[in-house]
Amino acid sequence: MSLLDRIQARRADGPPTADAPEAAETAENARAPKKDLVATFRELRGADASARLPRGKEAQPKVNKHQELKNRLHKQILEELQQATVEELLPKLDAMAIEIIKDDETFRGSIDRKKVVDELANDLTGYGPINPLLLDPDVSEVMVNGPEQVYVERNGKLELTGVAFRDNEHVMSVVERIVAPIGRRIDESSPMVDARLPDGSRVNVIIPPLALNGPTITIRKFSQDPFTMEDLVGFGTLSAEMASFLDACVKARLNIFVSGGTGSGKTTTLNVLSACIPSDERIVTIEDAAELKLWQEHVVSLESRPPNIEGKGAITIRDLVRNSLRMRPERIVIGEVRGGEALDMLQAMNTGHDGSLATGHSNSPRDMLSRLETMVLMAGIELPVKAIREQIAGAIDLIIQQSRLKDGSRKITHITEVQGMEGDTIVLQDIFVYEQQGMDASGRMIGKLTPTGVRPKFYERLETSGIYIPPTVFIDREEWGA
């Protein structure tokens, strides 16, 4: 009998009669004080636990020899710091561990000495238990969800690791090591912070009382060697034709906006596009946490600043965009547009600062335009919607839409031209698209990156800039049997 049938049968029988023994018992239970469910659970769990113990024995606390050796090594390091620095003592850690194990028989045969030494070295000079993950080239993101749960992204997929911290204080010691060198702070009055590692990896930290699981760290790693356009073609993020087209658009000083969701690879694409800028131009980059790595020599990097402990002294992205206009930039590169700075960015693009690049969060090129309208309104200036759209249509030449697919791969799904206004509507035209065709047996997405057959309106602008792109780039060769 199904659940629905049982419910209907119970309803058909009606409530039990008052003289039934079950009803009397139920009424008696209702009058009795209800027992705390948590107390009952604990009582049952305790009874069950004691039942599993052998008679005549009590549960003994488990001694963690691994942690005990680590603590003793740490204590010895602290005692010797008066005579030497941590860097001088690190090579001696293994010898210290051997001496402790030799003097205490309880450690023999039950300790992985190398593991203990490596962990202590990471605690003293690195980022604790997650240090090996940050050094692993296959790991692209590290996520610490409190002291007992650490995930990584490897090859586009999330994996739970066996890494763990001792407690919240252990996590916080790593957090302090990350934020202190760049002058950021995090405490109960300011429980969220964006930071970066020395290699440019982006870090976000949120701590209790906002994070209920404990201090939470999210680290977006970046390659030591910045990716190139050839790398993205090799990854399948875009095709060779798309790469040559985008390279030409950057060199021709088109204003380009990279749109996409969280983790879709927008910043990586922005960095690759920035590498196409000629080396003799002055570039000003503006970011919340500096992570762009440009190879050109004439680069000025600006980074926003959060408020101090008194809530004053904040320098926003919008402040930096305004100031950058006084710095004689030939290119302005904005890491991410989130709010009122969108208005200043559009005005800069419309007043002679061609070749600017920026990113923003959105699910499609059309959605990106709607978000830009909203962000302009966040600037606090009352403008008619049509005026805002005219600003957008006049400023942005190209939108690159990037997505992270279900199999973890990252694709540029649209390269879309902003052609102008028709009435009250901004006209968009796709130049290249990603056509998703299905999924193979291993769960990988099947699709192809193809041109739409439409040549952009700014094609002549490319030619006048001395850049020639064969018209065949905009033709689907498979469709024409080439």
Side-chain angles (χ1 to χ4, degrees), residues 296-353:
Q296 296 90 337
E297 291 185 4
H298 200 165
V299 178
V300 179
S301 300
L302 306 180
E303 186 179 59
S304 65
R305 185 178 72 185
N308 60 21
I309 195 168
E310 297 175 351
K312 300 177 181 179
I315 303 296
T316 65
I317 292 289
R318 188 175 187 190
D319 296 328
L320 296 177
V321 171
R322 288 174 173 175
N323 190 78
S324 70
L325 301 180
R326 306 184 187 98
M327 298 173 66
R328 197 200 171 278
E330 291 183 286
R331 304 271 188 159
I332 299 174
V333 181
I334 305 176
E336 186 175 333
V337 178
R338 295 194 188 101
E341 65 270 11
L343 176 60
D344 302 280
M345 177 198 73
L346 294 174
Q347 289 178 336
M349 290 178 173
N350 273 317
T351 54
H353 294 90

Side-chain angles (χ1 to χ4, degrees), residues 243-265:
S244 64
F245 174 70
L246 292 177
D247 179 70
C249 289
V250 174
K251 287 182 167 61
R253 302 185 65 86
L254 268 63
N255 292 321
I256 301 174
F257 205 96
V258 183
S259 165
T262 301
S264 60

Side-chain angles (χ1 to χ4, degrees), residues 178-214:
I178 292 172
V179 302
I182 60 172
R184 301 288 171 100
R185 68 182 184 87
I186 187 165
D187 49 40
E188 286 193 7
S189 63
S190 181
M192 297 183 292
V193 69
D194 287 317
R196 54 183 162 78
L197 300 183
D199 66 355
S201 296
R202 182 169 58 195
V203 183
N204 175 267
V205 181
I206 182 167
I207 64 173
L210 302 187
L212 303 184
N213 296 340

Side-chain angles (χ1 to χ4, degrees), residues 66-128:
H66 179 279
Q67 188 61 44
E68 185 182 335
L69 176 58
K70 190 172 168 184
N71 291 342
R72 287 172 65 171
L73 270 174
H74 195 193
K75 183 179 178 181
Q76 189 169 338
I77 283 282
L78 293 177
E79 290 173 353
E80 297 188 20
L81 276 178
Q82 296 177 351
Q83 287 78 33
T85 64
V86 170
E87 288 72 17
E88 292 171 338
L89 291 174
L90 282 178
K92 303 177 182 177
L93 273 180
D94 196 51
M96 292 179 184
I98 292 174
E99 286 298 319
I100 293 174
I101 293 172
K102 190 194 318 182
D103 294 341
D104 192 334
E105 294 183 357
T106 61
F107 290 122
R108 295 178 189 174
S110 61
I111 287 293
D112 184 344
R113 189 181 76 251
K114 185 178 184 306
K115 181 180 178 182
V116 173
V117 170
D118 288 346
E119 287 186 7
L120 185 56
N122 288 333
D123 282 343
L124 291 171
T125 61
Y127 299 105

Side-chain angles (χ1 to χ4, degrees), residues 5 27 99 126 128 154 191 195 212 222 231 235 257 264 271 276 301 322 335 341 351 361 365 409 442 479:
D5 292 336
E99 286 298 319
R154 185 180 275 112
L212 303 184
F222 286 91
D231 291 326
F235 298 151
F257 205 96
S264 60
N271 208 79
C276 300
S301 300
R322 288 174 173 175
E341 65 270 11
T351 54
H361 281 91
S409 62
S442 62
E479 183 177 336

